[in-house]
Amino acid sequence: MIGVLSGCNTWVGKQYVNTFARYNRIYHSEKQIRSTDKTVKESFVDDFNKTLPILNLGNESSLKGNGGDMDNVLKKTSRVIEKFPKSKWTDNAWFLMGQSYFYRGDFFAAIETFEFVSSKYKKTNIAYQANLWTLYSYILMVKESESLAIISKLKNEKLFPKEYKKGLYACAADIAIKQDKPTLAIDNLLLAMPFVKKKDEKIRYNFILAQLYQNADSFEKATYHYKKVIKYNPPYDFNFNAQINMASSLVQSEGQSYKKAKSLLNTMLKDDKNIDYYSRIYYELGKVDELSNNTKSALSNYKQSIHEKGNTNIIRTNAYNAIGTIYFNQKNYLIAD
């Protein structure tokens, strides 16, 4: 019966083909891709000492560990294409095949597949989605000229769907960050923001906007976006770094809000969750004191930073340098040395 239905050209036969392809192979492939995407993003380690990357998708090396799961997706999608070429899900099968290559770090195969989809199914949603994933592939391959060419083309495409504009502008911002063009990165990230719906992306994009504004000496705007991050009740690392960076922005802003910055940092010291990061907090307090010409308190906080939990080599070195500089400026050369 199954063989007859799948082979006949009747309405019932076509419905069977579409249903079988959708729920037995396409459905499970989509589910596996979503699961892998979630794992990749959750395992990505952010370095908060730098401007965060917008696309937290890892790299070729880290993605290779997904080979086993992606082989299963390849098998399922290949079967749909081979056994049910007339199914309305064939284009989805090709697209999922491209994603499976992407998530196993095989970017050349991914690009080839996505370009086939965009060529075969021109001017359709899945074709534009394939264009976007071709762009993702080139970005992870660090192919800036190819990436910028695609961005330029898609930005001028009148039929480009709204649901993919977030990804397009985010890619443009990501490249601008890597090219050290903060103003261009801000412009593109602001264009992406209206299309951002997920909470985790709102947290990430606002944090990056705040970093970019801070780097561009727009401290009031930086503070505004750090506050937005905190309001979303973000994961601990985003919350902690948003508060620390906001304190720095308050000090560097036009009003130079030393009292607000110190109040924020002292409040952080009262939170037990921050106990392993006291060294960083005391170091930041030292910076605030030094900027407000309270060198006695600055020295005290820098010294406290050296002895507190979480005193990494970077923090310890910076604290010693700060202490030495203060003593040098006071002409206490022996102590400074």
Side-chain angles (χ1 to χ4, degrees), residues 279 301-308 311 316 319-320 323:
S279 179
N301 281 313
Y302 283 139
K303 290 175 181 179
Q304 188 70 29
S305 171
I306 293 168
H307 300 292
E308 286 289 346
N311 55 62
R316 196 159 49 244
Y320 275 122
I323 293 168

Side-chain angles (χ1 to χ4, degrees), residues 66 74 80 131 133 211 271 294 319:
N66 302 315
L74 278 171
V80 172
N131 289 148
W133 279 80
Q211 286 183 306
D271 190 340
N294 189 347

Side-chain angles (χ1 to χ4, degrees), residues 118-119 121-128 153 157-159:
S118 62
S119 176
Y121 304 101
K122 289 180 181 178
K123 304 299 180 181
T124 64
N125 265 30
I126 204 160
Y128 289 121
K153 176 186 174 183
E157 178 58 72
K158 293 180 180 180
L159 297 176

